[in-house]
């Protein structure tokens, strides 16, 4: 298999994996619909940088070392599971708060928030990056993907191109998702459904985080 074929296969498998629902996908849907296009794109950039780092660690062998040391890998899994549980708690808390607000008299309702951003672009970028880099399943996926499809004797330019393509396709996919979700008409619809989206995403984060912790405790 020549380098061009290897790169095409690598990108194809990666795109299929990107389109599968998971924490990264849920994070973009939840935040782009609520906070707007700029926040969604910055989260997409953060996610793609996390993927770039996972890919770099896998190509250099660092991910293999982590995977081969059970204690270190368990610490990573515990941190990732805990972070997803924290995201789930935050999303479910927002859903519960909205439900309480709906059932309160108008005079008792808290005033609407004046800002529609997470806090700033840096926070959105960090949230995306942290969500991806602390996902232990991402570490295992990229380790398996790159060790299987990228031969050890691939040229440096070939490996560099592979890293660039993995980052670019990730950013384009999540960025496109954020862009589509923040069209004016669709965003108005998503904002009406914000409590439902928060609830679904919160459950997804909580279930994945709980499964990671359950696997650690029963291993």
């Amino acid at each position: 298999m020549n380098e061009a074929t290897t790169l095409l296969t690598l990108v194809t498998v990666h795109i299929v994996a990107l389109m599968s629902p998971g924490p990264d996908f849920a994070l973009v849907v939840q935040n782009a619909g609520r906070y707007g296009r700029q926040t969604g794109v910055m989260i997409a950039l953060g996610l793609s940088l996390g993927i770039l780092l996972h890919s770099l660690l896998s190509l250099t062998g660092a991910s293999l070392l982590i995977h081969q040391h059970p204690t270190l890998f368990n610490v990573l899994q515990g941190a990732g599971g805990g972070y997803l549980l924290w995201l789930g708690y935050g999303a479910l808390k927002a859903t519960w708060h909205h439900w309480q607000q709906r059932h309160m008299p108008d005079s008792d309702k808290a005033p609407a928030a004046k800002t529609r951003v997470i806090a700033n672009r840096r926070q959105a970028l960090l949230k995306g990056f942290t969500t991806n880099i602390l996902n232990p399943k991402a570490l295992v996926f990229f380790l398996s993907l790159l060790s299987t499809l990228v031969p050890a004797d691939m040229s440096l330019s070939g490996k560099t191109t592979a890293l660039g393509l993995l980052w670019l396709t990730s950013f384009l996919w999540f960025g496109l998702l954020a862009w589509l979700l923040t069209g004016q008409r669709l965003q108005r619809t998503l904002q009406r459904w914000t409590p439902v989206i928060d609830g679904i995403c919160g459950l997804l984060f909580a279930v994945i985080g709980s499964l990671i912790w359950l696997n650690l405790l029963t291993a």
Side-chain angles (χ1 to χ4, degrees):
M1 186 183 295
N2 59 40
E3 287 193 358
T5 305
T6 297
L7 292 172
L8 179 60
T9 304
L10 183 68
V11 170
T12 301
V13 174
H14 180 51
I15 290 174
V16 172
L18 285 173
M19 293 182 177
S20 303
D24 295 352
F25 186 94
L27 191 72
V28 175
V29 172
Q30 181 193 15
N31 289 281
R34 168 179 283 184
Y35 299 116
R37 181 165 293 168
Q38 186 179 74
T39 295
V41 171
M42 291 307 295
I43 284 177
L45 179 58
L47 290 169
S48 67
L49 290 175
I51 288 170
L52 176 62
L53 182 55
H54 271 302
S55 304
L56 181 61
L57 292 175
S58 296
L59 279 180
T60 57
S63 291
L64 181 61
L65 291 176
I66 294 173
H67 195 252
Q68 288 180 338
H69 287 76
T71 300
L72 186 57
F73 187 56
N74 287 343
V75 169
L76 176 63
Q77 290 190 90
Y83 183 70
L84 290 175
L85 284 171
W86 178 76
L87 288 179
Y89 168 76
L92 293 173
K93 182 180 178 182
T95 299
W96 173 251
H97 178 71
H98 185 274
W99 184 86
Q100 286 183 312
Q101 291 283 94
R102 284 186 60 186
H103 292 80
M104 283 182 181
D106 290 342
S107 58
D108 294 337
K109 290 182 179 180
K114 295 181 180 180
T115 179
R116 295 203 55 77
V117 295
I118 287 180
N120 51 48
R121 288 179 293 178
R122 182 181 300 177
Q123 186 177 348
L125 177 71
L126 183 61
K127 192 168 188 177
F129 178 79
T130 305
T131 300
N132 184 269
I133 203 64
L134 286 182
N135 185 354
K137 294 184 181 298
L139 183 146
V140 175
F141 171 75
F142 285 103
L143 178 60
S144 302
L145 178 69
L146 294 173
S147 62
T148 301
L149 294 180
V150 177
D153 60 352
M154 177 180 265
S155 66
L156 179 60
S157 61
K159 291 180 178 179
T160 302
T161 302
L163 289 173
L165 288 173
L166 290 173
W167 171 79
L168 183 60
T169 52
S170 302
F171 178 62
L172 289 177
W173 165 247
F174 290 124
L176 176 64
L177 183 62
W179 187 273
L180 292 175
L181 289 172
T182 49
Q184 289 186 0
R185 183 176 300 177
L186 181 56
Q187 190 173 12
R188 286 196 296 269
T189 301
L190 289 175
Q191 286 172 359
R192 288 196 297 269
W193 286 88
T194 289
V196 177
I197 294 171
D198 279 343
I200 293 173
C201 292
L203 283 174
L204 178 63
F205 293 139
V207 167
I208 295 175
S210 298
L211 289 175
I212 291 172
W213 272 92
L214 183 63
N215 181 63
L216 282 174
L217 294 173
T218 57

